[in-house]
Amino acid sequence: MGARVRSAVGAGMRGLLLAAVGLAGSITLFVLSVVSLVLIVVGIGALTTPWILTLVRHWANWRRVAAAEWCGVRIPAAYRPFPDDLRGGIVGQLERCRLMLGDPATWRDLRWLLADMTAGFVTALLPATLILYPLEGYALAAGLWRVFTDGSRVGWWYGFVPISGEGSALLAALLATALLATGLRTAPALLRVHFLLTRSVLAPADGELAERVRVLTETRRDAVDTSAAELRRIERDLHDGAQARIVAMGMDLGTIEALVEKDPAKAKELLARARQSSADALTELRDLVRGIHPPVLAERGLGDAVKALALRLPVATEVEVEQAGRAEAPVESAAYFAISEALTNAVKHAGADRIWVDISHTDGHLRIAVTDNGRGGAVLRDGGGLGGVERRLATFDGVLAVSSPAGGPTMVTMEIPCV
Amino acid sequence: MRVVLAEDLFLLRDGLVRMLEAYDFEIAAAVESGPELTKALAELAPDVAVVDVRLPPSHTDEGLQCALAARRARPGLPVLVLSQHVEQLYARELLADGNGGVGYLLKDRVFDAEQFVDAVRRVAAGGTAMDPVVIQQLLARRAVREPLGGLTPRELEVLELMAQGRSNAAIAAQLVVTERAIAKHTSNIFTKLDLAISDDDNRRVLAVLAYLDRAL
């Protein structure tokens, strides 16, 4: 019973917040958007529109988060990403304006603002009303009716009950009880209705599939690019490193063969050099192998590979692993390199003296958190190390989030679905 | 001295057999997989086992696991583990039981036959042979966190060789000084690091490794 009351009252309060803030915000943003769009004709609008529309997107995203957190309603966001090579300054702003106006998601947002300030407002207010309005009924019954009437005439209406004295005030309390009972039963469901309405306006029509295709296309391209770059790097390292050393070794051995009877001392010297060459070639190959697929990962799996990695760091690192079994090799590999990148960042830039890595593999998701107690201020930039990791994880539908307030602590969380 | 050897690559196995025989070891068995190794260790009771970490059929750390299991069945069974890469994680697992008679080396160390054979003998005698790379990693981490108790550079060199499991005589030979000088260095090191002095080589190594590993 207590839980039901709590969730109903919570839904009521949230409904009230949504109704009040939503109405104000949506009206403001809609007006600003319309004004800005109209001003495109005179030019100034082209500069302001991207800002306003970005604000609208943030606003819509806040609602998406609320929908998922409060009612479990997932509303996909399908904004087209800007190209990486977007220029800065006025030219970039104009380009941004053009791209945003060409994105159907923008127009869906504007349509939603209209829906939100009308139907959205009503549906959000309903659960709030059912929870809060009964309070007035009880207050009237408790004696508040005396403020409105001396008992000889109708001085106030509570719903459809005319208040004209103690008797009718008690009737108001009865109605309040009925409303409250309804509210306690239905408030969470009504709030959900509000979000379902939001979803029906905001979610792309057949967008989910189209969006999925777009994301897959993009991540596939990234994956292909990354692996091609990796192969080029490996080829170059082998060609200039180990391969060259082994060639030199072969030459030395040939020379030794010729010298072994004529000049044993010289031959001995060359033998030492050949041995050194082979040792160097091995060291290089070992480093290269570590970069392709760390041996511990092959031998022991993700948990122990990260533990071994932690032991090589100059910063005290605790690794906690809760794994029910092993993820697939490609996922493990991506996760390992992602963790490795996060740890490298923490050691290099954060100035941390403690790092914690938590790995858990539950209900089909691999969840990883890398936390350090350093100075914070880490950002997720395209082209930065973590940006690269994010793209790499995207290939597996994985996500990466960085929380790094100035002054720390920094927490990098990753989540990869393992189907 | 009877050796059981486990290495899956024929060339390396053959090379190791030749080398060990050249140094008068008796090869009790040269096997190429985990199950065969387990069987050989149980039946032949060798004086020392030389084992590759990665063995078929699983190609994971099967060799290491077989060696650890055999040491649980027969505590102190001397095992020298070889690998293409060295990890502190594995070194700790080998050292964990504190019985000594363990070695953990990069495969490259066989290039220097003298040193390698010395490591095999040391392990067979119940001593320790840790790869310099493992020790350097430990020292490097330690040095980042706090300077090593005000050791002189020379003492650091001695500490590194001591942690690998070398005897005083071997350290003296390597650094070209008298054994007495090394004895003086080691007692200084133990005083500065506040460790109990012990004449037993193996216990000495474990104490040093435990110290390097402390609070990490």
Side-chain angles (χ1 to χ4, degrees):
Chain A
M1 189 66 212
R4 163 172 288 191
V5 171
R6 247 202 316 281
S7 84
V9 171
M13 292 304 140
R14 283 164 175 172
L16 189 66
L17 175 77
L18 280 173
V21 178
L23 184 70
S26 288
I27 290 179
T28 314
L29 283 169
F30 186 76
V31 171
L32 283 175
S33 306
V34 171
V35 170
S36 183
L37 287 172
V38 169
L39 286 179
I40 289 182
V41 181
V42 290
I44 189 86
L47 299 182
T48 56
T49 302
W51 282 328
I52 305 287
L53 289 181
T54 306
L55 274 180
V56 172
R57 287 178 181 195
H58 284 310
W59 179 242
N61 280 335
W62 173 70
R63 201 60 65 90
R64 288 186 177 99
V65 171
E69 280 188 358
W70 296 350
C71 293
V73 176
R74 299 195 80 84
I75 306 172
Y79 301 116
R80 288 180 188 165
F82 295 120
D84 294 338
D85 53 0
L86 203 61
R87 278 165 300 205
I90 290 192
V91 183
Q93 194 73 337
L94 291 176
E95 181 66 3
R96 216 174 258 126
C97 181
R98 195 181 61 76
L99 286 168
M100 279 178 134
L101 293 181
D103 186 351
T106 299
W107 304 102
R108 266 201 304 274
D109 280 357
L110 293 178
R111 213 173 53 213
W112 165 72
L113 288 178
L114 275 176
D116 189 53
M117 65 179 84
T118 50
F121 172 71
V122 174
T123 46
L125 203 55
L126 201 55
T129 311
L130 286 175
I131 298 294
L132 295 171
Y133 194 49
L135 299 181
E136 187 190 334
Y138 292 133
L140 286 168
L144 189 68
W145 61 274
R146 294 176 200 282
V147 177
F148 303 111
T149 175
D150 53 7
S152 60
R153 58 191 173 81
V154 173
W156 186 250
W157 286 83
Y158 177 76
F160 50 82
V161 181
I163 306 292
S164 60
E166 181 65 45
S168 53
L170 284 175
L171 278 179
L174 200 64
L175 174 62
T177 307
L179 288 176
L180 190 60
T182 316
L184 288 180
R185 251 166 227 291
T186 60
L190 287 171
L191 190 67
R192 200 181 151 78
V193 167
H194 165 85
F195 284 123
L196 290 175
L197 177 87
T198 306
R199 183 169 70 181
S200 67
V201 187
L202 260 190
D206 54 353
E208 282 202 44
L209 213 52
E211 173 64 8
R212 184 86 190 116
V213 170
R214 191 191 61 72
V215 168
L216 285 176
T217 314
E218 192 174 314
T219 52
R220 187 189 59 177
R221 197 189 55 227
D222 281 347
V224 171
D225 285 353
T226 323
S227 63
E230 281 289 284
L231 285 174
R232 272 198 304 278
R233 184 181 64 82
I234 292 165
E235 188 275 337
R236 201 176 46 238
D237 284 357
L238 281 173
H239 183 273
D240 300 347
Q243 219 174 353
R245 286 188 197 285
I246 292 170
V247 169
M249 213 164 77
M251 288 194 306
D252 280 347
L253 287 172
T255 319
I256 290 163
E257 217 168 0
L259 283 180
V260 82
E261 270 124 28
K262 275 189 297 186
D263 188 353
K266 181 84 184 153
K268 230 174 168 164
E269 198 180 307
L270 281 176
L271 270 174
R273 199 169 82 177
R275 197 167 70 183
Q276 187 57 45
S277 291
S278 77
D280 292 348
L282 266 176
T283 307
E284 276 181 19
L285 281 172
R286 190 170 297 125
D287 291 346
L288 190 64
V289 164
R290 242 192 242 293
I292 298 169
H293 192 79
V296 194
L297 191 58
E299 287 163 9
R300 294 282 190 94
L302 183 62
D304 278 350
V306 175
K307 281 180 186 161
L309 179 66
L311 287 174
R312 279 199 296 272
L313 292 179
V315 176
T317 307
E318 280 173 47
V319 183
E320 287 278 335
V321 186
E322 288 176 49
Q323 259 185 296
R326 287 182 63 168
E328 284 186 0
V331 173
E332 274 199 335
S333 173
Y336 176 87
F337 284 109
I339 295 172
S340 168
E341 182 68 35
L343 286 173
T344 309
N345 273 344
V347 171
K348 260 200 204 149
H349 307 302
D353 62 2
R354 289 198 80 80
I355 304 176
W356 296 268
V357 183
D358 292 292
I359 302 172
S360 72
H361 189 181
T362 42
D363 50 44
H365 277 80
L366 186 60
R367 290 191 182 82
I368 298 157
V370 180
T371 316
D372 70 63
N373 63 351
R375 66 175 75 91
V379 282
L380 193 54
R381 266 196 325 271
D382 263 7
L386 284 174
V389 170
E390 194 181 19
R391 295 168 86 101
R392 197 165 175 163
L393 293 183
T395 316
F396 300 90
D397 288 330
V399 289
L400 178 144
V402 181
S403 144
S404 185
T410 298
M411 185 167 179
V412 179
T413 44
M414 307 168 220
E415 192 169 288
I416 312 168
C418 311
V419 187
Chain B
M1 200 175 286
R2 295 168 68 251
V3 184
V4 162
L5 180 69
E7 161 64 62
D8 51 327
L9 298 172
F10 171 77
L11 273 178
L12 283 175
R13 192 168 63 241
D14 191 54
L16 278 167
V17 168
R18 279 166 202 272
M19 184 166 100
L20 288 170
E21 280 176 340
Y23 280 88
D24 301 325
F25 286 86
E26 180 195 336
I27 307 294
V31 299
E32 53 181 310
S33 76
E36 284 176 320
L37 170 64
T38 303
K39 195 159 157 276
L41 289 177
E43 289 174 5
L44 300 173
D47 299 312
V48 61
V50 177
V51 177
D52 179 14
V53 165
R54 210 183 280 197
L55 287 178
S58 66
H59 285 288
T60 58
D61 59 341
E62 195 154 339
L64 177 69
Q65 297 304 339
C66 290
L68 288 170
R71 275 176 64 87
R72 277 194 293 275
R74 195 185 126 188
L77 166 75
V79 174
L80 172 60
V81 176
L82 296 179
S83 176
Q84 290 282 21
H85 62 105
V86 289
E87 301 293 339
Q88 287 180 58
L89 191 72
Y90 296 3
R92 283 157 194 254
E93 285 169 12
L94 281 163
L95 290 165
D97 60 11
N99 283 327
V102 286
Y104 182 43
L105 295 176
L106 275 174
K107 278 188 185 171
D108 324 8
R109 304 300 167 205
V110 301
F111 290 176
D112 191 332
E114 291 278 346
Q115 290 271 23
F116 178 73
V117 167
D118 177 55
V120 178
R121 291 211 171 102
R122 207 156 68 224
V123 171
T128 313
M130 277 295 131
D131 198 277
V133 172
V134 176
I135 304 305
Q136 277 155 9
Q137 281 180 4
L138 273 175
L139 283 169
R141 278 191 75 172
R142 190 75 204 180
V144 166
R145 297 171 57 75
E146 50 177 310
L148 274 159
L151 297 185
T152 64
R154 191 52 149 185
E155 283 165 351
L156 269 175
E157 271 179 89
V158 174
L159 176 69
E160 194 171 321
L161 291 166
M162 194 161 60
Q164 288 173 24
R166 305 286 187 83
S167 64
N168 278 3
I171 298 175
Q174 171 120 7
L175 299 180
V176 207
V177 289
T178 61
E179 211 174 318
R180 231 181 96 222
I182 296 297
K184 210 154 74 190
H185 280 313
T186 51
S187 75
N188 278 348
I189 291 169
F190 276 77
T191 314
K192 282 184 182 174
L193 300 186
D194 201 13
L195 298 174
I197 297 179
S198 150
D199 288 336
D200 175 30
D201 270 0
N202 186 41
R203 225 175 293 148
R204 188 173 82 161
V205 174
L206 291 179
V208 170
L209 288 173
Y211 171 80
L212 290 176
D213 214 20
R214 195 184 299 160
L216 282 174

